[in-house]
Structure formats: structure tokens, C-alpha cells
Amino acid sequence: MPNPAPRARARRLVAATCAVATALTTALLAAPATAAPRPAAVPGPPGTVTVVDPDATAATRSLFSYLDDVRGEEVLVGHQHTTSFGLTVGTPDGTTSDLENTYGDFPAVFGWDTLIIAGDERPGRADATRAENVAAFADHIEKAHAIGGVNTISAHIENFVTGGSFYDTSGDALRAVLPGGSHHDDLNAYLDDIATLAGQARGADGELIPIIFRPWHENAGSWFWWGAAFGSPGEYKELYRYTVEYLRDVKGVENFLYAWGPGGGFGGNEDVYLRTYPGDAFVDVLGLDTYDDTGSQAFLDGLVADLAMIARVADAKGKVSAFTEFGVTGGVGTNGSSPEQWFTKVLAAIAADPGARRNAYMQTWANFDAGQHFVPVGDDPLVPDFQAFVDDPFTAMSDDLDLDDVFGRDLATTAQPPLAHVVSPADGARVATSPTTLRVAVDNVEADAVQVTVARGEEEQVVELTHDGGLWWTAELTVPADRLDNSTRTLTARVTVDGEVLLTETSEVVLGPRPTFAPGVVDDFEGYGDDTALRAEYVSYGANTVTLETDDVGQGAKALRLDYDFATQTYTGIGKQISGDWSDFNELTVWVAPDGSGNRMVLQLKAGGVSYEAYPSLAGDEPQQVTIPFVDWRPAPWDTANADRRISDADLRAIEQLNVYVNAAEGGATSGSIVVDAIAALPGTEPPPLFPDVPRGHPYEAEILWLHARGLDDGYADGTFRPRSAVLRADAARLLHAYAGAPAAPSVRYPTFWDVPRGHRAFTPVEWLAAEQVADSRPLPLFLPWLPLDRTTAAVWLYRLAGEPDVEGDLPYRDVPGAARDAVLWATQTGVVEAESPTRFGLLRPVLRQELARYLYRFDALPEPLDPVVLFDFADGAQGWSAMSGTATAADGALAVSAGTDGTWVGVNATLDLTGRTRLVLDADATTGFDTKLALQVGPSWQWCETGQAGWVDGPTQDVVVDLTTLSPECAAGLADVKGLHLYLNAGDHVIDDVEVR
């Protein structure tokens, strides 16, 4: 890896020698620049390419040129994790693929993800170090390169603030990782690993392998923590720009092409697509991600419009465009669907359009397992269709590539023109406190001075910046307290070179903390100084314009106006993140000035992880205060999994976001404007209880309402629930069957139980219970559906539904027979069922309806059992294990240990998270005898901790169990941060295998 500091300086100076004069003679300083960097996108002279990194390797330059030339001629087929996951590959080793096994060839594009580095996806391992995973990652890239393909890496990055996954959108994580943010160093450490990977991935000739790197994708949505709802477009742009500058200029990565793709579903609207575009200087490949499970003409039309649009934008900017993710929603496995001729329909629609066909590659997602895979295999219905897809002359697979043409073109790079951008505070960001740090990046030119002017009208503050020796020019900006008033200031950065202002860049920031409101108030719009301040609080979905309205208002002096147009979209809207406890409120009110458009207004409240909707009318043009009780809200129509759910107090304690949409309606106007104001949750009128016999404060109210919200029990026809009625066994079977999702029962020739014939209302649920071995037909095939369910049977059925987990301890209840011991012990230990007394369970007492509601409510809240994980299988060697005395060597897929007269400790230093694990289990394939125990090193101080002895093993034994619950409480608390794992083995010879945790 080259020294990063000289590299960064050299890149700037080389560019400066040919760019400064050009910039001056074309009078760049005469025209103030826009907020986004905008170097010219004109193509360079013949024999050159213009890429983000002017120092890119020869093969990387060639790859860009090849991808640009292939557009319109053919489309390369890509597949994520094609040689690290698969249903036909056996043990993945980077050389086999479902595509090659099923269709005769590897893909032309090999997709990977940075989750490999974290050990969350193969070839990474959870028990390996990040360095080991980087090495395994590089090995698979090298094998893909040797097979013959283009490598691309996407980035699903963990939430550095919370420690959660990329789907964890809490913690204001986007802003936290920006320069100056609380977790910026965590981002740098993550990028360091990526840079290491880039440097390790080398071909057989020792040269760096070109890689298309695609970070921060699908930002137009809000399912990732870097999504649209969690930062301004300017803040996102700076996140992407920083990623490029750090990898390229600080770490010296020179084999990356940088891909950017905000998602899909843009209706061909270029402005919406480019809303978060980082700028031409930071992007080589423009991408689109789109999934579908219909293959309908409406989907195909929208897809073609988007692909044609990005191809057009790429042509204008001198970029490559690609279909960076596509596939059947949910995959084509058992958890997905198989729309007829889906792949060939998509390909035909793309190939038939002169614009849409101008995309270099189309990559589908991984074949993770039978439930979720995106390339059809085996008996999947779409195998013939996918065969036709890859056989089409317009698609290219690995064998179709001329690798000398892909990587061997002799091309130079053109220099990037001078560039400046305001890093901190980013465009559209909020400066809540003073002082704050100004950061300006200046690229491709050696600047003499950088100055930032902070202005509003005639008011102006000038700050001189100094170079920090790294990426930025910086200074401290002090804002007087009276200016932290939620008003907008324009930042103008001026870069001086050779005594002349060469570059001028502007951005806007909001000064002052975000407005605060009383409990329940979403917004009254009075605290925003201007449109920019308002837009800093609301994310836009689709194309629309949001402004402060001062004429047509509901109360006070300001409201929000939303202007929309359906020329290229079918819905649009805005959203605001909110938080708080609304469980004391019963309704939401909003003042609306409709536009008489006949379109559909949608209020969407995300609460408890579910999006609930209500629909105020846009008929007429008379303003109205609309109040909608929470009992009248329903889950969004697309959320079929929660279709029967209703807003509960638990949901209202976990509110997340309020969105306001306008949907195009048949016969509605194609454009319009609505105004909203005074949005708040109110106490309102306490709604009557759902069931008159389950009033507020009823001891089983929460459980009964949960049962109803899940769509499992609507009570009786007279509106009552009858909480103290006994549950019949037939009704319990129907309830458990519904709770499980009403799966189909297996076909049986004869009913399993004599007293539940085919015409019985509980026939299917009872047959399902029998098939799942929950209900037993022995010794007599009688189900007794008309009898009340007793407490013991309830415990047994739930225990079996839970998978009959292991239990430990003595049963304190005198009235429980031995056959029900484990079930009752589990039910009482987990709290699913409560005993009648310390010594009596209440063996045959009938279960009341309110009690079954509580049992199932508590059962549903149990944590998912952890699947066993094999930590070490020794399939490829000793995997880092060694003996403190004696020897430990790999032998035929196991570990052979020879211990001296005093025995030995054998183990490995490895970073492991054993949270929730209670047992370590190993196989003794051969042994002269041992009584093992486990020694762990945990926490930052590598504290030694020991378990109790496992018991004597005198011969080959499967599943030797070491009890982790014998660790001290202090040691048990450190299981999330295990640094080392060591087993004691007595004197003699031993062969161990498959060390796993459960």
C-alpha cells in the first residue's frame, strides 16, 4: 500500500498542473457554483477515460472503458455470493456456483458484501477475526477473478451508534459518522478494513484486481440507517464523498470504481433520482435497485422508464449505468414466489427499449437457502425461464467475456478539474449549538487560502480557514446566541489560488436547535425561520415541493404547503421522525386545506414497528380540522402480515414517524397543492372498551386486546369476550393453528382422531396439531374436542410448540405426573403458565379464555431460541488451536491432541460473542479418558474464567457438554466479549471435533 499522505498530495498536484490554467481561462470564477460539486462531464481525448480516481490502476481504467462500451450491445449477468452460498455447491470454497452447476457457466459479475468482513456472511466466519475474514474475502475475489468475471462489493454496514444491524435506524447514526461526529472514528476503522481488502485482492500476476465498490445504497428509502429519513440530502452526499476521499486519498486505494444507486421506483424522474447524487467527481457507475413479484406490464413500464433515465444521465455525465440489483421480491424459494416467465419478461422489456438496454450489467441477489434464493435451481418452476434468460444473445456470462478486453485496454486517465465542497456543516444540516467546526475539502489544486462567508441578507460573517494537514481546511465558527433562531444562513466557500478566487461553493444551513413541542404535538410550524429550516425536519418521498405557508393557515401564522405533480409518479409525500409516549392519547388531529383534486390523502403513523394509515378527504376546497381516533386506523394495505392488527397502547408507546402522502386516484387531478397545520395527538374521548366485559384496567386487558389485535379472537357475536368461560379443546386447537399462521394440514386418508371427523369445525387445526406432534393420538385416537382444556394439556401443547427445549431443576408441584414434568417445569420457569401455589400446579383445572390469552401472549414474548453454532469443525486444519503442552494437530477433519503426564490446556484466541449460550458441546471421536472444563478469557482485560467439570469421558462420545451456567455471574456477564477459549484434557491421547455452542 503506498504511503497515503504523499499519494493524496501528489494526486492534487498532478491534477493542478493541467487543470488550473484550464479553469482560469474558462472563467470559472465568474459563475458562482451550485451547492453540489459539478466538474465538467465532457469525455477526454481518445485513449483516455475520466474516472473518480485519476491514479486508478490500468486494469481498473480498462474495466470502466469496457463497461461503458458494452452498454447497449449486451448486458452482463451478475449474482451475489455466487461462490460462497448455494443450494448445489456442497461446502462452498469459492470455485463452485449454483449458476455453473445448473446453467453451465458462472456469472459475468460476482457480487460480494462487506458483511463478510464482520463474519455475518460467507466466506467470513463469526468466530474469525476481521483480519482473517478480510483474507478469506480477498481469496474469494481472487478465485472469481481467476474464473473470469467482474467483482463488485456492496456495503451493509452496522449501526455504529447502537451496535445494531444496518436495519437499525435509531441513534441518529448517519450524522454520528460524519466528520466531527461521535462515531466518525468507527467509520474510519470500518473503511480501513475495506482498504486492506482492496490491497490484498490480487490476481495471479500480483496486480490489484479492479472492484466496483457500491456503498450507502438505496438511500431514497428509509430502511437503512443512512436512508432518506435520517439526514438531509447534503448530509448523505458528504457521507458518500468522505467515503471516496478517505479510501482514495488517505488509504491510497486505486483499484476501485465507485458505484452509487439510491434505489428504484423513480418513474423515470431524473430530478428525484439525483436528489442525493454526490457529484460527478465521486461516482463512476450509476445504479438502480428494483425488485418485483408480479412481472406485470405496469412494473415493466416503470422499470424501463427508470433504466432508460439512468442510462441517459450516465451518457450526459460520462458515467457507466447498471442495474445494480434486481430480482423477484423475496426470491424464488419457498419463502418467495415464481411469477411466470419473470426473468425473460424483464429481459425482453429492457432489450426492446433503446435507452433501457444501455446498462452494463444486471445483478440478482444471493442463493442463501431453500427458503430464500434468487437464482432458480433444482425443481424451482422458473429454472426453464432462467435458462432462457442466460441463453439469450443479449445476456453475457463468464465464458462470454474476453478478459483481455475487459482488463487489458491501454488507457490513460484525464485529470479531474479543481473542486471544493463544504464538508461541515453539510448542505441542509442544522447547527444546533455554538461553536461548530467548519470543514472545506479542496481537491485537484493547491490552494493558497480558503474563506467561508456566513450570510443572511445584509448580515455577513467571514471566517478564514487553515489546512489541517489532512483532507480539509478548517476553522471554528462561533454563532451568537441570538442567531440560533431556526433561520437559514448561506455558507459561501471561496478558494484562492495564485492570488485569484478560483472556486466558489455555496450551501445552506439552519442555525438553532430543532423546534420542541408539548407532548403529543407533531408540529405547529411556528418555529421555522424559512423553507430551508422546514425542509431540514421533513424528508420528501418522490417529487414534491415543501414550503412554509403564511396565508392559508389553521392556527398561528405558519403552516406547511405540499405541491405535487403526478406527471412521472403515482404518489408523493413527506415524513417526520417523532418519538414519545402517546399511550394517554386517543386520536390524531390535523388541519387540512384540501385542493379538491379527487386524489387520496394518506396519513401514515409508524408505531410499534407497524405503519398504520388513515385517509382524510381531499374533496372540495374548504379547510377543516380532521380528527381521527386511533381505533379507526388500520395497517397499510401492503402490510398483509399485520392486516388484522390494531393500534395498541404498546404501539403508542413506541411511535417512530408520521408521514403525509398524496396518492394519485383515478379521475383525480394530475397536480395540486395541500396545506397541513396543527398536527397533534389529543386525549380526545376515551373509546369504549373493545369488549364490554373487558373494561379498562381489567387484569387481563392487555393480553385479550393483543389476542384481538393479532386477529386471533374477535369474541362472540354479541360483542362480548366472556373472559371467564372455559376454553374447549377444539377452540384451543383452532387458536393455536391460527397463531401459527393457519398452515395447511397434511392430507390424511382417515382422520387421526375418531371424534374429529372431516366435517368438524376443528378438523384442519386438530390434524395440524397431530402432524406437528403437539396433540397425541395414543393410546386411544380420541381428541375429546368438547371437553375443557386443562392447565396441564395447555402446558404440554405450548412446550411442544416451543420445540421441547431442555429444562433443568426439580419439579416442586406434587400434582404433576412424570409424563408432564418437563412441560410443566418449562411453562412455570418461563412464566408462560403460573402455578396455583408453590406446591400445586393445578393439574386438571380448566383453562379460562382470559388465561389462554395470557399464556399465548407470554409464549409469543419468549426470546427466539438460539440455533446451535459450530465454532470449530477442523475441516480445513487446526483453525488456530494449539496446546500449552503436548501437541495439537489437524487429523482427518478433526483435532488430535497428545497431552503430557499432567494433562494440557488446548484452545485458541478468538473473538466470540456467546451471549445467551448455556452449553459448549464437543465430540470426542477417540480418547484415553478425560474430565474436561472450559477456561475463557473475557472482556477488555482478558479476565480468566472457568466452568465446572463436565464429568469423566472414558471413550468415544458424541456431545460432551460443558455447562456455561457454572460460570460466576461476573464471568457470565462477559460472554459477549470472549477473547480466548481453552479446554482442559487429561494425560493421554484424544481426538475432538465439532466444538459448538448451544
Side-chain angles (χ1 to χ4, degrees):
M1 187 75 62
N3 186 313
R7 153 89 198 242
R9 179 176 174 81
R11 194 179 70 77
R12 293 189 173 100
L13 290 178
V14 168
T17 59
C18 57
V20 171
T22 302
L24 289 172
T25 55
T26 53
L28 279 177
L29 59 88
T34 60
R38 46 164 184 74
V42 295
T48 66
V49 291
T50 301
V51 291
V52 167
D53 188 352
D55 292 336
T57 65
T60 306
R61 301 193 297 266
S62 177
L63 175 60
F64 178 87
S65 174
Y66 170 81
L67 292 174
D68 192 31
D69 284 352
V70 82
R71 297 168 61 222
E73 300 300 319
E74 59 185 3
V75 61
L76 310 187
V77 175
H79 186 212
Q80 186 79 357
H81 291 305
T82 195
T83 57
S84 59
F85 285 89
L87 283 73
T88 67
V89 301
T91 301
D93 62 358
T95 64
T96 57
S97 165
D98 278 349
L99 267 79
E100 201 270 340
N101 292 341
T102 307
Y103 303 102
D105 199 359
F106 291 92
V109 177
F110 290 68
W112 312 100
D113 197 278
T114 56
L115 286 169
I116 294 170
I117 298 175
D120 294 330
E121 289 183 345
R122 293 198 294 259
R125 301 196 327 267
D127 61 300
T129 65
R130 292 180 75 88
E132 290 169 335
N133 285 338
V134 166
F137 197 166
D139 173 71
H140 274 57
I141 290 174
E142 291 166 358
K143 289 174 178 174
H145 187 68
I147 289 169
V150 176
N151 283 278
T152 179
I153 299 174
S154 55
H156 288 84
I157 301 175
E158 63 259 34
N159 185 318
F160 296 118
V161 176
T162 66
S165 77
F166 45 90
Y167 284 128
D168 181 356
T169 58
S170 61
D172 204 17
L174 189 157
R175 297 183 179 98
V177 302
L178 289 174
S182 59
H183 287 70
H184 181 64
D185 289 345
D186 293 329
L187 174 61
N188 285 347
Y190 194 95
L191 296 177
D192 288 344
D193 287 335
I194 293 172
T196 300
L197 171 67
Q200 287 187 11
R202 294 178 180 269
D205 57 1
E207 296 295 323
L208 293 168
I209 296 172
I211 296 169
I212 302 169
F213 181 49
R214 186 169 63 100
W216 313 122
H217 64 304
E218 298 177 9
N219 159 265
S222 294
W223 42 87
F224 301 143
W225 58 259
W226 55 87
F230 312 113
S232 71
E235 288 170 316
Y236 170 83
K237 292 176 187 178
E238 290 307 323
L239 174 62
Y240 192 100
R241 292 168 183 168
Y242 176 78
T243 301
V244 173
E245 290 176 329
Y246 185 81
L247 291 172
R248 181 190 62 190
D249 302 339
V250 176
K251 303 303 293 184
V253 173
E254 53 189 17
N255 52 326
F256 274 8
L257 296 175
Y258 294 91
W260 170 82
F266 300 102
N269 189 307
E270 180 178 327
D271 292 337
V272 178
Y273 177 77
L274 293 174
R275 179 177 287 147
T276 56
Y277 181 57
D280 293 346
F282 301 94
V283 175
D284 295 305
V285 178
L286 299 174
L288 186 82
D289 296 0
T290 299
Y291 292 83
D292 165 74
D293 59 4
T294 66
S296 67
Q297 193 60 47
F299 160 71
L300 296 174
D301 289 346
L303 173 63
V304 167
D306 278 346
L307 287 173
M309 177 268 292
I310 69 167
R312 185 171 62 249
V313 173
D315 289 341
K317 294 180 173 293
K319 306 297 179 185
V320 169
S321 60
F323 199 0
T324 42
E325 280 187 42
F326 86 103
V328 175
T329 304
V332 297
T334 56
N335 296 340
S337 60
S338 299
E340 185 178 359
Q341 297 180 319
W342 191 89
F343 291 98
T344 51
K345 285 181 180 179
V346 167
L347 182 65
I350 293 171
D353 185 88
R357 67 183 285 123
R358 286 186 48 74
N359 287 280
Y361 60 89
M362 54 192 302
Q363 178 184 319
T364 195
W365 214 239
N367 279 18
F368 289 118
D369 51 39
Q372 188 182 53
H373 57 273
F374 289 81
V375 169
V377 294
D379 296 330
D380 290 341
L382 284 176
V383 166
D385 186 58
F386 198 84
Q387 185 72 65
F389 170 80
V390 298
D391 288 344
D392 192 285
F394 188 59
T395 58
M397 300 283 279
S398 175
D399 285 347
D400 298 317
L401 300 181
D402 178 348
L403 297 181
D404 287 338
D405 191 30
V406 178
F407 300 114
R409 298 184 178 194
D410 186 11
L411 299 161
T413 56
T414 59
Q416 294 276 11
L419 167 72
H421 59 101
V422 179
V423 176
S424 306
D427 187 33
R430 180 180 293 278
V431 177
T433 60
S434 177
T436 190
T437 301
L438 290 172
R439 296 178 180 86
V440 175
V442 180
D443 235 341
N444 309 322
V445 68
E446 198 74 7
D448 300 332
V450 176
Q451 179 190 88
V452 171
T453 301
V454 184
R456 184 189 185 194
E458 299 298 321
E459 174 190 298
E460 189 174 280
Q461 182 180 357
V462 179
V463 183
E464 301 290 342
L465 284 69
T466 59
H467 196 261
D468 66 359
L471 290 175
W472 308 305
W473 292 71
T474 65
E476 186 175 274
L477 172 64
T478 301
V479 181
D482 62 349
R483 296 182 185 175
L484 294 171
D485 58 358
N486 254 290
S487 61
T488 301
R489 299 293 190 278
T490 299
L491 302 186
T492 303
R494 294 181 175 85
V495 178
T496 300
V497 176
D498 295 332
E500 300 284 348
V501 175
L502 176 66
L503 298 172
T504 303
E505 289 295 327
T506 63
S507 61
E508 291 185 326
V509 298
V510 180
L511 300 185
R514 53 177 37 93
T516 58
F517 304 100
V521 175
V522 175
D523 218 325
D524 61 12
F525 305 102
E526 300 302 310
Y528 303 111
D530 49 39
D531 294 341
T532 302
L534 175 67
R535 292 167 187 160
E537 290 300 298
Y538 286 83
V539 60
S540 286
Y541 306 114
N544 59 61
T545 302
V546 176
T547 55
L548 278 174
E549 170 66 27
T550 56
D551 293 330
D552 200 4
V553 300
Q555 64 181 33
K558 300 174 184 176
L560 180 149
R561 178 176 290 277
L562 175 68
D563 296 310
Y564 62 90
D565 191 309
F566 290 138
T568 60
Q569 58 189 354
T570 57
Y571 73 93
T572 186
I574 56 172
K576 181 181 181 181
Q577 289 179 273
I578 55 178
S579 61
D581 183 349
W582 283 11
S583 59
D584 289 334
F585 300 112
N586 295 295
E587 59 192 26
L588 186 84
T589 185
V590 56
W591 183 89
V592 180
D595 57 2
S597 63
N599 291 313
R600 191 185 202 199
M601 182 177 179
V602 180
L603 295 178
Q604 186 183 87
L605 177 66
K606 189 174 183 182
V610 176
S611 295
Y612 296 97
E613 292 187 351
Y615 310 101
S617 173
L618 292 180
D621 56 8
E622 286 297 318
Q624 54 186 310
Q625 190 76 38
V626 178
T627 300
I628 306 172
F630 288 133
V631 295
D632 293 336
W633 293 62
R634 295 292 181 268
W638 43 262
D639 187 4
T640 54
N642 289 303
D644 295 321
R645 184 160 164 170
R646 300 295 180 262
I647 293 182
S648 65
D649 282 351
D651 291 333
L652 292 173
R653 294 187 189 99
I655 57 170
E656 301 172 51
Q657 190 155 333
L658 182 73
N659 299 320
V660 179
Y661 291 100
V662 180
N663 292 0
E666 186 174 356
T670 58
S671 62
S673 177
I674 65 171
V675 179
V676 295
D677 196 3
I679 310 173
L682 300 175
T685 301
E686 187 78 24
L690 182 65
F691 301 107
D693 51 353
V694 186
R696 287 271 185 173
H698 188 282
Y700 291 84
E701 178 191 17
E703 294 89 341
I704 292 170
L705 294 183
W706 170 84
L707 199 69
H708 173 76
R710 286 288 301 266
L712 300 175
D713 196 324
D714 290 332
Y716 289 87
D718 63 0
T720 63
F721 186 82
R722 304 180 194 175
R724 297 192 60 80
S725 294
V727 179
L728 300 183
R729 288 167 58 91
D731 292 332
R734 295 172 67 192
L735 179 63
L736 293 179
H737 182 243
Y739 172 78
S747 177
V748 292
R749 185 172 183 181
Y750 300 107
T752 303
F753 298 96
W754 296 342
D755 51 356
V756 185
R758 292 187 186 279
H760 196 283
R761 62 190 178 92
F763 174 74
T764 296
V766 168
E767 290 296 337
W768 172 78
L769 285 179
E772 295 294 318
Q773 297 184 344
V774 172
D776 199 341
S777 61
R778 296 169 297 176
L780 288 175
L782 294 174
F783 187 76
L784 309 176
W786 61 87
L787 288 183
L789 177 73
D790 62 74
R791 288 162 53 81
T792 304
T793 301
V796 169
W797 285 2
L798 291 172
Y799 174 64
R800 290 173 178 173
L801 280 177
E804 301 186 55
D806 292 339
V807 292
E808 296 179 357
D810 296 326
L811 187 70
Y813 313 114
R814 296 193 300 266
D815 59 339
V816 176
R821 173 197 174 277
D822 287 355
V824 170
L825 191 58
W826 168 85
T828 52
Q829 285 181 344
T830 58
V832 170
V833 181
E834 296 170 342
E836 284 188 342
S837 75
T839 59
R840 288 187 58 82
F841 177 68
L843 176 68
L844 297 177
R845 185 166 69 77
V847 176
L848 306 182
R849 282 172 51 78
Q850 64 187 18
E851 291 174 329
L852 187 56
R854 177 166 290 177
Y855 297 170
L856 201 55
Y857 176 81
R858 292 175 173 176
F859 179 87
D860 186 73
L862 291 176
E864 289 288 332
L866 294 172
D867 292 329
V869 173
V870 176
L871 301 178
F872 305 96
D873 60 8
F874 309 111
D876 55 356
Q879 297 179 346
W881 282 58
S882 61
M884 295 183 68
S885 63
T887 61
T889 57
D892 298 325
L895 187 74
V897 180
S898 180
T901 55
D902 294 327
T904 189
W905 288 97
V906 60
V908 63
N909 289 334
T911 301
L912 303 169
D913 182 355
L914 303 186
T915 302
R917 303 295 180 175
T918 59
R919 291 173 294 164
L920 181 136
V921 182
L922 64 142
D923 293 341
D925 293 348
T927 182
T928 54
F930 65 81
D931 183 5
T932 192
K933 61 180 176 178
L934 178 67
L936 298 175
Q937 293 169 282
V938 303
S941 64
W942 291 59
Q943 175 187 353
W944 282 99
C945 298
E946 287 189 16
T947 67
Q949 301 286 137
W952 186 257
V953 176
D954 58 7
T957 304
Q958 294 275 314
D959 290 353
V960 179
V961 177
V962 180
D963 187 356
L964 299 182
T965 65
T966 59
L967 291 167
S968 69
E970 180 183 7
C971 289
L975 286 177
D977 187 18
V978 173
K979 307 291 191 185
L981 180 153
H982 309 272
L983 290 166
Y984 177 76
L985 297 176
N986 297 77
D989 297 317
H990 321 277
V991 178
I992 65 173
D993 198 4
D994 290 339
V995 178
E996 68 178 58
V997 287
R998 301 176 182 173

